[in-house]
Amino acid sequence: MEALKKQAGIKAAEFVQDGMIVGLGTGSTAYYFVEEIGRRIKEEGLSITGVTTSSQTTKQALGLGIPLKSIDDVDGVDVTVDGADEVDPNFNGIKGGGGALLMEKVVGMATKDYIWVVDESKLVDPLGSFKLPVEVVQYGSERLFRLFSDKGYKPSFREKDGLRFVTDMQNFIIDLDLGTIPDPEKLADELDHQVGVVEHGLFNGMVDKVIVAGQSGIQILKASK
Ligand code: 5RP
């Protein structure tokens, strides 16, 4: 599995050219992409500016000597490479397994060429086996938890080291154990309109390309937009 993630991450780096503003994703697959960008800067003299999607990736990028800017200090992002937890045949996906969904969506929305890197186990139909992360403000989060529970969404507060997980933006995450998501658009719309929800992990139709690493090689799936 690790080898497949690495293949996908390295392949994605081929889409990066000199002078680009590059969104740097979060997670164990995006990690290999960021590592490869660091290598190309050192060994090939590649000149890019990175925009990170989490404090975790910021730390990795700084360690590799990748020049960084905030999303607020760039006009747009040329290409972003990020991981995903699930991808369906309509190019809808679940993200946020690493808790970085809010920054990931902000950077993804600002990107011209938005690429996901996954191993083949992430391709599903329908979405929903992976628990859907919902980032919520701390104030009123118990009320939201009860509301999700009443709807049968089987919520759980994400925890880390025995404490409630707090995102880079100081919010909580409630994971919804939905099993299947028959209508991702409808659910996204419902969550978008829920006061207290900052963002959710449904990334519907946002991605341009999905680089899939499998036992039989690399496949690049392109969304028609
Ligand atoms: C972090 C994410 C990740 O991209 C997603 O969880 C996939 O991670 P991995 O490549 O480690 O499986 O959305 O918030």
Side-chain angles (χ1 to χ4, degrees):
M1 192 69 85
E2 219 48 37
L4 295 183
K5 290 180 181 186
K6 189 168 182 174
Q7 279 171 32
I10 290 176
K11 181 74 188 170
E14 291 177 13
F15 290 89
V16 174
Q17 291 164 16
D18 247 5
M20 281 184 162
I21 308 285
V22 182
L24 307 172
T26 298
S28 59
T29 318
Y31 174 89
Y32 291 112
F33 166 74
V34 177
E35 201 176 58
E36 176 66 2
I37 293 300
R39 186 198 67 74
R40 286 187 59 193
I41 289 174
K42 247 186 218 97
E43 294 177 14
E44 298 171 12
L46 176 77
S47 166
I48 61 113
T49 301
V51 174
T52 64
T53 53
S54 63
S55 56
Q56 186 188 318
T57 303
T58 300
K59 202 168 152 201
Q60 185 194 4
L62 290 176
L64 292 166
I66 302 176
L68 298 179
K69 276 192 179 172
S70 154
I71 188 71
D72 287 324
D73 296 329
V74 295
D75 287 333
V77 179
D78 294 300
V79 59
T80 291
V81 174
D82 205 345
D85 300 299
E86 286 188 345
V87 187
D88 80 6
N90 299 315
F91 294 89
N92 300 318
I94 291 183
K95 284 183 51 53
L101 61 146
L102 177 55
M103 288 173 73
E104 289 174 337
K105 204 177 263 190
V106 169
V107 174
M109 288 299 287
T111 299
K112 279 188 222 127
D113 191 13
Y114 187 35
I115 301 174
W116 288 346
V117 281
V118 296
D119 65 76
E120 58 190 353
S121 70
K122 306 281 185 72
L123 300 182
V124 302
D125 189 18
L127 299 175
S129 300
F130 192 90
K131 288 184 190 172
L132 179 68
V134 180
E135 184 158 347
V136 302
V137 288
Q138 296 194 24
Y139 181 76
S141 57
E142 296 289 344
R143 186 197 72 89
L144 270 178
F145 184 94
R146 286 194 295 274
L147 194 128
F148 290 145
S149 190
D150 291 347
K151 285 173 178 275
Y153 291 170
K154 300 193 188 140
S156 54
F157 276 103
R158 190 173 299 185
E159 295 192 349
K160 192 181 175 190
D161 304 326
L163 296 171
R164 221 163 252 190
F165 176 81
V166 178
T167 68
D168 282 338
M169 298 293 140
Q170 304 305 310
N171 299 308
F172 288 150
I173 288 188
I174 298 178
D175 290 301
L176 306 180
D177 188 0
L178 299 165
T180 59
I181 302 176
D183 191 341
E185 283 301 332
K186 191 166 167 236
L187 181 59
D189 192 56
E190 178 189 319
L191 293 169
D192 283 338
H193 289 93
Q194 188 59 60
V195 173
V197 169
V198 183
E199 198 43 81
H200 55 79
L202 279 169
F203 285 50
N204 293 331
M206 279 178 64
V207 74
D208 296 293
K209 297 184 191 82
V210 184
I211 299 180
V212 187
Q215 295 305 337
S216 51
I218 299 258
Q219 219 187 330
I220 302 182
L221 310 176
K222 291 184 184 159
S224 51
K225 289 192 170 178

